[in-house]
Amino acid sequence: MRQQLLDELMTISEEESKYRAGQGNIEKQLYSASLTDEIDREKLLRRGRLVTVRPHSRFVDFPEHRHNFVEIMYVVKGSITHVIEGKELVMKKGDVLMLNQYVKHSIKRAEYDDIGINFIALPEFFEIPLSMLNDKNILAEFIIGALRRKYPVPHYLLFRLNENTQIENLMENMIESMLHENSNEDVMNQYSMGLVFLYLLEHLENLSHNSSMDYKETILQAVLAYINSDCRNANLTKISRDTSQSMTVLSKMIKSKTGYTFQELLQRKRFQTAVRLLLDTDLSVEEIALDVGYENQSYFFRQFKSRYGMTPGKYRLEHREDREVRL
């Protein structure tokens, strides 16, 4: 993060000065208009705005509370510890925690070098990011849950991102524009958040076990995303390591969730890719076999013929002609 912005975020506020001087309780009137434990968006979000950012207040324990908005915390420096349902979630630099408005949590005292940034957003802010998520997935479910008024369910997602540069750049740009209340960039910030979500979907192995949503479903999505992104080199050993699951447990989970083994899912994707390359490129069949992960040409030919009832060359000839007629 740029030093000028970091210096601005580390500046001790008037509120924090009181806590640092020994005031042991938060100034509740800054956060809520009533005696409830709900933090009110009217206190933090200017009227007409869908989102803003606010540095987390240091030098005090923040008691258990909930919000009437969606909160996303991004840790810029140091660490921040949340307590949700009795579990401590220690966030490190670069981590992202997403909380819908139905989650109750407390936050332990943060010190001077612990900088957490809260994105305070109305559910409507996520309409554009949601439109960028094409398929049914854990992030789309999270956003839809935040928009839901009937039968609300508390959900939170913790991503441990290990100071990812792409996320840091996107977050830095959003923080700076919101901190300085540049309303001209509201829509740009929505698209930037959508890009953050798309990155997170590509790296679901970074989703913490402590997240509230179905971890088995998350693991499955990570497996499918991994196969889709690199069917040539995909292997169960790597995904087992990335998801912190034993190969035995992971194999059983994949089979129970999809009805297919990892190898069967991988082979389906490889042949789907091979068919696309046959129809959309002029690569030779031998080159396509290598591109999808088959160095044994004879095996590729046998499997292709078994699956499609003809050789790759014949498939290309017949189906490419059909495709050209339709076009």
Side-chain angles (χ1 to χ4, degrees), residues 70-309:
V70 178
E71 181 179 56
I72 297 176
M73 177 176 276
Y74 175 69
V75 177
V76 171
K77 193 174 188 290
S79 65
I80 304 287
T81 300
H82 292 251
V83 181
I84 306 177
E85 298 174 351
K87 294 186 294 188
E88 286 193 5
L89 308 182
V90 181
M91 298 179 65
K92 302 290 187 181
K93 180 182 176 181
D95 288 352
V96 174
L97 176 65
M98 302 170 61
L99 303 151
N100 73 9
Q101 62 266 49
Y102 313 113
V103 174
K104 277 193 170 186
H105 68 124
S106 59
I107 308 171
K108 292 193 170 185
R109 176 185 170 116
E111 300 303 332
Y112 176 74
D113 287 323
D114 301 323
I115 307 298
I117 302 299
N118 292 312
F119 288 80
I120 297 160
L122 300 185
E124 293 79 4
F125 172 75
F126 298 99
E127 289 177 357
I128 287 177
L130 180 60
S131 72
M132 297 169 67
L133 305 176
N134 296 321
D135 300 320
K136 187 181 188 309
N137 56 67
I138 198 165
L139 280 173
E141 289 177 15
F142 176 87
I143 298 169
I144 291 168
L147 296 170
R148 189 178 295 128
R149 295 290 183 265
K150 193 175 183 182
Y151 309 122
V153 177
H155 278 317
Y156 60 93
L157 301 173
L158 173 59
F159 291 90
R160 301 197 180 280
L161 299 177
N162 299 315
E163 303 181 38
N164 178 272
T165 303
Q166 290 175 280
I167 297 296
E168 182 177 0
N169 290 338
L170 288 166
M171 289 295 192
E172 181 177 337
N173 291 336
M174 287 191 287
I175 290 167
E176 187 161 40
S177 70
M178 294 179 199
L179 200 63
H180 300 146
E181 296 188 336
N182 189 342
S183 59
N184 295 328
E185 296 186 12
D186 278 357
V187 173
M188 184 64 72
N189 286 326
Q190 288 177 286
Y191 280 106
S192 293
M193 188 63 75
L195 291 175
V196 170
F197 286 177
L198 289 171
Y199 179 88
L200 295 177
L201 279 181
E202 289 294 319
H203 298 276
L204 284 175
E205 68 273 12
N206 294 319
L207 182 63
S208 169
H209 290 255
N210 285 322
S211 297
S212 66
M213 298 181 76
D214 183 358
Y215 189 70
K216 288 185 178 180
E217 183 64 31
T218 304
I219 292 291
L220 176 61
Q221 290 182 31
V223 170
L224 297 177
Y226 172 52
I227 289 173
N228 288 336
S229 66
D230 190 11
C231 69
R232 177 177 182 172
N233 300 306
N235 64 80
L236 192 59
T237 301
K238 183 179 185 303
I239 194 69
S240 172
R241 184 175 64 250
D242 288 346
T243 57
S244 303
Q245 302 289 321
S246 74
M247 290 182 65
T248 301
V249 170
L250 185 59
S251 295
K252 289 180 179 178
M253 189 187 301
I254 294 169
K255 179 72 173 179
S256 67
K257 283 282 190 179
T258 68
Y260 297 98
T261 66
F262 176 84
Q263 202 58 38
E264 287 168 341
L265 289 173
L266 178 58
Q267 192 173 71
R268 282 160 57 93
K269 179 60 181 179
R270 283 176 168 175
F271 280 102
Q272 288 171 1
T273 304
V275 165
R276 178 178 60 77
L277 292 174
L278 282 169
L279 299 182
D280 294 342
T281 75
D282 293 320
L283 292 172
S284 69
V285 174
E286 290 75 15
E287 288 173 316
I288 290 172
L290 287 172
D291 275 356
V292 299
Y294 291 106
E295 293 186 6
N296 187 324
Q297 304 285 321
S298 298
Y299 179 77
F300 174 76
F301 273 77
R302 288 198 306 272
Q303 290 297 316
F304 192 98
K305 189 171 183 179
S306 172
R307 187 176 290 265
Y308 298 105

